[in-house]
Amino acid sequence: MSLIVKIKKQLDNFMLSVDMELTDEVVSVIGMSGSGKSMTLKCIAGIETPDSGFISLNGRVLYDSKKRINLHPGKRRVGYLFQDYALFPTMTVMENICIAMGQRNEEKVKGWLKRYGLEGMAYTYPNHLSGGQRQRVAMLRMLAANPECILLDEPFSALDEHVKRSMESELMEMLTDFHNPVVFVSHNRDEVYRLAERIGSMESGVLSTVRDKKDFFMRPMSVEQALLVGCNNISEVKWQDKHHLLAVEWDSVFEVTDEQLEQTAMSMDGISHIGVFPQDIIISAGKTKTALAYADKNIIRIKDYKIIEELKSWEILCKLNNDSIIYASLPRHTEANMLSKNINDELYIKNFYLLG
């Protein structure tokens, strides 16, 4: 089972450019709003037409600009779960699902409804269902059409926070026996990490290389990828030599190892920024000077700081001598009074990422 997408489409602000292949797996496309994620799904489904390229599903050509092939959406066998679920408002739950099946099989539908907590709602209209119930119905309607590929467009965005996690579990249960490609679009990194096997980022219409999710989160390759995975300390760099660079915004020199350069798979000319996760900053060292403890390597000096209490952590806003801000974090169990007494005027960066 495979989905191959190699398309281009000119949009208002950029050229959409997608090149990806997936098998019977869940692949996520993560990106900022307006980056081209939903448009990619619409092109795969046949709702929108690319300017050029090729799309095939399990060996069937869905779109080929050179051969002028462009299958109607109804013939593609692609299931699409919209953000608003797109249930027919004048049809009951039973009718919504049966129309996707192409036949009326009430016994089968009632069995599905019972399995997914919708028993007794077969003749209910969508406007009388909760958000979670509408999503279950939309999923069942999509699966009832026996698709060869599923496209999920921000499936949890309309749900309350306390409902999202249970719906994630139900969605994955529904997909347990679906051994076909699934493309999951989201801007929520937590959802993406839990649900996807591989991830690619959409940056101004260009889809990055799709990578293993752990590699994607632990080794961002660009500024936008870094921001998407929570690495919100970013600085432009100037190289001093092969093993030293200046983080311009922080006015600090960092030592770069050969191993770090090899892992980036980029030349020095292609590395324009440095990224640091808040949790990779050591912000206190008791009475011991950080510079002495760490041989004066990868040090950022600060003149002031502010401690902010978050739900699960302490966020430390550190102001540098040039008034730039860098964010650090500590686990929530750290005592606030001890924290404020132990912060020195130097931060040690224990890990950082080279970004293109």
Side-chain angles (χ1 to χ4, degrees):
M1 302 298 180
S2 66
L3 172 66
I4 300 173
V5 183
K6 299 178 183 293
I7 58 171
K8 292 184 181 295
K9 183 177 178 66
Q10 182 63 54
L11 302 179
D12 290 341
N13 300 318
F14 51 76
M15 172 71 76
L16 180 70
S17 179
V18 178
D19 186 346
M20 69 173 175
E21 297 185 26
L22 55 153
T23 56
D24 56 340
E25 59 183 330
V26 179
V27 167
S28 179
V29 177
I30 187 172
M32 307 292 186
S33 297
S35 60
K37 306 185 303 297
S38 294
M39 180 59 70
T40 299
L41 298 190
K42 290 176 181 178
C43 287
I44 296 171
I47 300 170
E48 294 281 350
T49 302
D51 296 334
S52 63
F54 175 86
I55 303 172
S56 71
L57 176 59
N58 298 335
R60 293 186 300 115
V61 177
L62 307 185
Y63 172 79
D64 190 329
S65 58
K66 291 182 178 179
K67 296 182 179 180
R68 297 189 176 181
I69 297 173
N70 188 16
L71 284 189
H72 185 274
K75 296 181 179 180
R76 296 196 177 200
R77 297 193 66 184
V78 171
Y80 196 144
L81 184 63
F82 294 87
Q83 292 183 29
D84 60 0
Y85 312 135
L87 296 173
F88 297 112
T90 59
M91 293 184 180
T92 64
V93 168
M94 176 68 71
E95 291 168 335
N96 264 281
I97 297 174
C98 286
I99 197 171
M101 295 173 67
Q103 58 177 310
R104 192 173 182 90
N105 188 333
E106 293 197 10
E107 184 178 348
K108 190 171 187 177
V109 172
K110 286 181 179 179
W112 289 339
L113 296 178
K114 182 177 181 180
R115 180 178 177 182
Y116 293 107
L118 296 167
E119 188 174 13
M121 298 183 181
Y123 306 106
T124 303
Y125 288 90
N127 64 327
H128 294 296
L129 301 174
S130 68
Q133 289 169 339
R134 286 197 296 272
Q135 188 189 57
R136 292 189 193 102
V137 174
M139 278 295 299
L140 288 172
R141 184 182 64 175
M142 182 175 62
L143 292 171
N146 196 25
E148 293 182 5
C149 169
I150 286 179
L151 310 176
L152 304 172
D153 191 355
E154 302 271 8
F156 309 112
S157 61
L159 299 177
D160 294 332
E161 285 297 326
H162 68 280
V163 179
K164 286 185 178 182
R165 290 300 293 271
S166 62
M167 291 309 304
E168 283 182 27
S169 299
E170 289 192 21
L171 172 60
M172 296 314 294
E173 182 184 346
M174 288 181 176
L175 295 177
T176 299
D177 298 323
F178 186 77
H179 303 296
N180 286 288
V182 177
V183 183
F184 168 50
V185 155
S186 179
H187 65 272
N188 186 306
R189 59 177 175 263
D190 295 322
E191 291 175 3
V192 165
Y193 190 83
R194 287 192 293 266
L195 298 178
E197 297 166 64
R198 293 195 296 143
I199 302 172
S201 64
M202 185 70 78
E203 304 176 30
S204 298
V206 179
L207 181 64
S208 71
T209 301
V210 177
R211 296 187 278 150
D212 173 80
K213 69 177 180 182
K214 291 185 178 179
D215 184 57
F216 184 90
F217 272 82
M218 295 177 65
R219 195 166 58 91
M221 303 292 288
S222 68
V223 170
E224 189 150 342
Q225 281 186 9
L227 293 172
L228 287 169
V229 301
C231 181
N232 54 5
N233 295 309
I234 307 289
S235 173
E236 187 179 353
V237 301
K238 290 183 179 180
W239 286 94
Q240 295 185 331
D241 56 54
K242 183 180 179 181
H243 293 107
H244 297 88
L245 55 78
L246 172 68
V248 178
E249 278 78 4
W250 307 329
D251 192 26
S252 300
V253 175
F254 286 75
E255 184 177 82
V256 181
T257 65
D258 289 330
E259 183 181 3
Q260 283 177 301
L261 288 171
E262 290 173 5
Q263 288 178 345
T264 63
M266 292 185 286
S267 66
M268 289 173 59
D269 291 339
I271 298 169
S272 59
H273 290 78
I274 185 176
V276 178
F277 282 95
Q279 60 268 30
D280 285 335
I281 299 175
I282 295 179
I283 63 171
S284 61
K287 297 179 179 179
T288 305
K289 277 289 187 180
T290 309
L292 294 176
Y294 299 105
D296 208 20
K297 295 179 181 178
N298 304 343
I299 300 293
I300 296 178
R301 290 173 173 81
I302 66 173
K303 67 177 181 180
D304 197 8
Y305 62 88
K306 181 179 180 180
I307 301 173
I308 298 176
E309 183 178 358
E310 299 284 350
L311 182 62
K312 297 181 180 179
S313 65
W314 295 106
E315 183 175 73
I316 319 299
L317 276 67
C318 302
K319 182 177 285 189
L320 282 58
N321 291 328
N322 62 3
D323 290 330
S324 295
I325 299 293
I326 191 166
Y327 299 90
S329 67
L330 282 177
R332 185 66 181 81
H333 59 72
T334 308
E335 292 291 339
N337 61 337
M338 293 299 295
L339 179 63
S340 60
K341 292 177 182 177
N342 287 333
I343 293 182
N344 289 320
D345 58 357
E346 295 174 333
L347 308 176
Y348 169 63
I349 310 303
K350 64 180 180 180
N351 197 17
F352 60 90
Y353 296 87
L354 304 174
L355 309 171

